[in-house]
Amino acid sequence: MANAEERRFEVLRAIVADYVSNQEPVGSKAIVDRHNLGVSSATVRNDMAALEEEGYITQPHTSAGRIPTDKGYRLFVDRIAEVKPLSTAERRAITAFLDSGTDVDDVLRRSVRLLAQLTRQVAVIQYPMMTNSAVRHLEVVPLTPARLMLVLITDSGRVDQRTVDLGDVITEENVGRLRTVLNGALAGRRLSEAAAAVAELPEKSPGELRDNLTRVCTVLVESLVEHPEERLVLGGTANLTRNVSDFPGSLRQVLEALEEQVIVLKLLAAARNPGAITVRIGEENEDEQMRSTSVVSIGYGMDDLLLGGMGVVGPTRMDYPNTIAAVRAVANYVGQILSGR
């Protein structure tokens, strides 16, 4: 029985491969001709009948062939033993393209563009989650004798600039003292911890710095407790229009859903650990507008530090092995680049 089940899976694999490639329902003769399964057309027909009865494939009304169902794609994805790695040339091209990004915004825009090109699907990436980031450095820059610029730099490469009106002139020496006190309290701390530390600073500071620190810390807390992880970059939406028949009657719904950040953020919400791939197929998608799509998502970051989520959205008739390989590779490089900035 185990051999029969394995053979049926090979028949399913052949149907998925041919349907993804040709967008045509697949018959038993085509499977025998194109795939070296070592069995007769009659055996393949019996296996297809069993697969259809179990809900893994279905017969479109207008064809003698079969196509995979969501359940069939799910079994195929769950049984992908080995995802085809990208070639050395592809990896080198990814590294060169992303390494030349000038800042976080540029790296994310490049990542989305690259992922959309590699997969020929819609690509989406979430801005680094500030809640998971730590403060690398705070620069304090005098703009006028009574006005400062604060430049907060996190270990995920985010740079946040704020200005502070002090209401009184501050000496260069006291600007230096402010910088030292603030970095002593902030550097290396997670943003949530840093916000608490900053709120306590004025009470602990020398009297002559207290008023200035109070104004600076009030502005800083706003930076530390905001959550820009709700910002997204989307690219390659036009890729969905290449095969409108993949979304019968629902392409407009899909495009409208992609415009809603809340829906897209939910698609990425499964990302909990860097490098862990999640594949949601058709009906598995929570939002009704997305049930004609498949979503391949992953968390990016370094080690156990999750910076954000990224992934691709496309039809259920998707080249899953190559898509998973591309998503994993780009996420790996984005995590390395942003963690190293």
Side-chain angles (χ1 to χ4, degrees), residues 157-169:
R158 290 285 301 179
V159 177
D160 192 36
Q161 296 182 355
R162 303 277 174 137
T163 56
V164 186
D165 288 309
L166 300 176
D168 203 354
V169 172

Side-chain angles (χ1 to χ4, degrees), residues 10 17 77 88 205 228 250 259 274:
E10 290 305 316
V77 168
T88 304
S205 65
S250 65
E259 289 178 6

Side-chain angles (χ1 to χ4, degrees), residues 154-327:
T154 71
D155 60 356
S156 60
R158 290 285 301 179
V159 177
D160 192 36
Q161 296 182 355
R162 303 277 174 137
T163 56
V164 186
D165 288 309
L166 300 176
D168 203 354
V169 172
I170 186 171
T171 66
E172 197 173 314
E173 181 187 352
N174 279 345
V175 170
R177 291 172 69 192
L178 273 179
R179 188 181 297 117
T180 302
V181 168
L182 289 164
N183 277 293
L186 292 172
R189 289 182 185 258
R190 292 262 175 270
L191 267 64
S192 54
E193 300 167 1
V198 161
E200 295 171 1
L201 265 184
E203 292 178 15
K204 300 176 180 176
S205 65
E208 66 273 18
L209 285 182
R210 191 165 298 158
D211 287 346
N212 289 333
L213 258 179
T214 299
R215 290 175 185 258
V216 168
C217 290
T218 300
V219 171
L220 260 183
V221 167
E222 290 176 8
S223 289
L224 295 167
V225 299
E226 285 186 354
H227 302 290
E229 60 263 32
E230 295 186 358
R231 290 178 62 194
L232 295 166
V233 186
L234 204 70
T237 309
N239 286 332
L240 294 186
T241 63
R242 283 186 298 109
N243 291 303
V244 178
S245 57
D246 280 322
F247 307 95
S250 65
L251 179 56
R252 182 177 171 185
Q253 289 182 354
V254 172
L255 294 173
E256 286 174 354
L258 288 173
E259 289 178 6
E260 295 185 40
Q261 290 216 1
V262 174
I263 290 176
V264 181
L265 282 165
K266 277 198 287 186
L267 298 178
L268 302 180
R272 290 287 175 267
N273 300 303
I277 288 272
T278 300
V279 182
R280 284 204 185 95
I281 299 168
E283 294 293 323
E284 295 170 358
N285 284 303
E286 184 182 330
D287 195 278
E288 193 174 335
Q289 293 166 280
M290 301 299 289
R291 289 186 183 157
S292 63
T293 72
S294 283
V295 181
V296 178
S297 59
I298 192 171
Y300 70 88
M302 278 297 283
D303 301 324
D304 294 328
L305 175 63
L306 178 71
L307 295 179
M310 64 189 299
V312 299
V313 178
T316 54
R317 187 184 67 86
M318 178 188 287
D319 183 346
Y320 291 97
N322 284 337
T323 299
I324 290 170
V327 168

Side-chain angles (χ1 to χ4, degrees), residues 61-104:
H61 298 304
T62 56
S63 170
R66 304 294 189 276
I67 65 174
T69 62
D70 289 355
K71 184 180 177 183
Y73 283 125
R74 167 48 61 196
L75 179 61
F76 172 75
V77 168
D78 288 345
R79 294 275 306 268
I80 292 175
E82 198 174 297
V83 172
K84 186 189 105 177
L86 298 184
S87 68
T88 304
E90 287 172 319
R91 289 178 178 277
R92 198 178 293 126
I94 290 173
T95 310
F97 185 64
L98 296 184
D99 267 343
S100 55
T102 54
D103 55 22
V104 176

